[in-house]
Amino acid sequence: MSTVISYENEFNQSVTESQAQMFETYIKIIKLNNLIKVKEEYINNLLIEVTYYQDNESVAEIFNKYPSLNKLDIAKRVEIQGNYIREDIFTHQKNVGLKLYSFNIEHIVTGKSICFGSYNLQTGEIINKSVVKMKYDISGNVSYSYYYNSLGKVNIIEEESGEPFSNEFSKEYYNNVLPLLP
């Protein structure tokens, strides 16, 4: 089992470990066999947030690895379609339990998120107003962000920068919350 540790600044740009520790905010990424296992976010060199990709570990076992934290994001890879993966993320608070149930869809190679949002804790249904879909420019920067209303229709399109990739998805993908995967 090969372990690789890398670092990113707050803008998700790769940096060395020594560079990271000079920034106010940085992310430490631990990969096992080329898959992300843990993302640790640091502010002023203090661990403040963890996203842990759960395999067979219990929530208690994961909390035991991070005794100083009261909240953890536990992610599960749920579905792969083409070059995209859907992850379900469960935010647990120590001594309280599950607080938020959300999802993220990202490009497997680039690691760029193309869609994220939350589920209703009671019903498990997508909260349409929570969903955001993104288009990226050729430099990998977000060019447009799409926000949705409670009916799942596009409500606001926010222009960020640049032009979209030439292989962008159909207009229909962005007009509606569903489908989540392109």
Side-chain angles (χ1 to χ4, degrees):
M1 201 182 311
S2 72
T3 301
V4 175
I5 298 174
S6 61
Y7 297 85
E8 293 180 349
N9 63 18
E10 63 185 306
F11 305 108
N12 299 102
Q13 298 166 325
S14 293
V15 295
T16 66
E17 180 179 4
S18 57
Q19 288 172 322
Q21 293 176 350
M22 291 189 295
F23 295 120
E24 181 179 326
T25 302
Y26 67 91
I27 299 165
K28 178 180 179 181
I29 300 168
I30 302 167
K31 289 184 177 182
L32 294 178
N33 298 325
N34 292 325
L35 286 175
I36 294 175
K37 182 65 177 173
V38 182
K39 286 184 180 181
E40 299 175 344
E41 184 176 343
Y42 292 82
I43 295 180
N44 296 322
N45 288 319
L46 292 172
L47 180 63
I48 58 129
E49 188 171 321
V50 169
T51 301
Y52 193 97
Y53 289 80
Q54 185 180 30
D55 290 315
N56 298 318
E57 309 91 343
S58 70
V59 172
E61 288 171 324
I62 297 169
F63 264 113
N64 286 339
K65 295 178 182 191
Y66 298 95
S68 66
L69 296 179
N70 288 322
K71 178 182 80 81
L72 286 173
D73 290 337
I74 299 176
K76 293 183 181 181
R77 293 173 182 93
V78 180
E79 177 181 8
I80 296 176
Q81 186 172 314
N83 289 325
Y84 297 91
I85 188 166
R86 187 185 93 202
E87 302 167 338
D88 282 350
I89 302 147
F90 304 86
T91 301
H92 289 270
Q93 192 167 347
K94 197 181 280 186
N95 302 324
V96 175
L98 183 63
K99 295 295 288 179
L100 179 68
Y101 177 24
S102 59
F103 65 88
N104 180 50
I105 298 181
E106 70 178 42
H107 189 272
I108 294 170
V109 177
T110 66
K112 299 283 186 187
S113 178
I114 62 164
C115 178
F116 62 87
S118 299
Y119 296 107
N120 179 306
L121 279 175
Q122 281 74 39
T123 66
E125 293 179 8
I126 294 168
I127 301 171
N128 290 331
K129 294 188 319 186
S130 73
V131 176
V132 178
K133 292 182 179 181
M134 285 88 52
K135 278 187 185 179
Y136 291 88
D137 64 19
I138 56 174
S139 300
N141 299 312
V142 175
S143 57
Y144 295 95
S145 295
Y146 293 78
Y147 299 86
Y148 301 86
N149 62 24
S150 59
L151 299 174
K153 300 293 182 189
V154 72
N155 187 35
I156 297 171
I157 301 172
E158 189 174 281
E159 186 174 358
E160 306 280 346
S161 68
E163 297 181 20
F165 283 127
S166 59
N167 64 345
E168 66 189 62
F169 312 121
S170 71
K171 185 177 179 182
E172 193 59 33
Y173 174 72
Y174 293 103
N175 284 341
N176 301 292
V177 164
L178 297 176
L180 297 176
L181 287 158

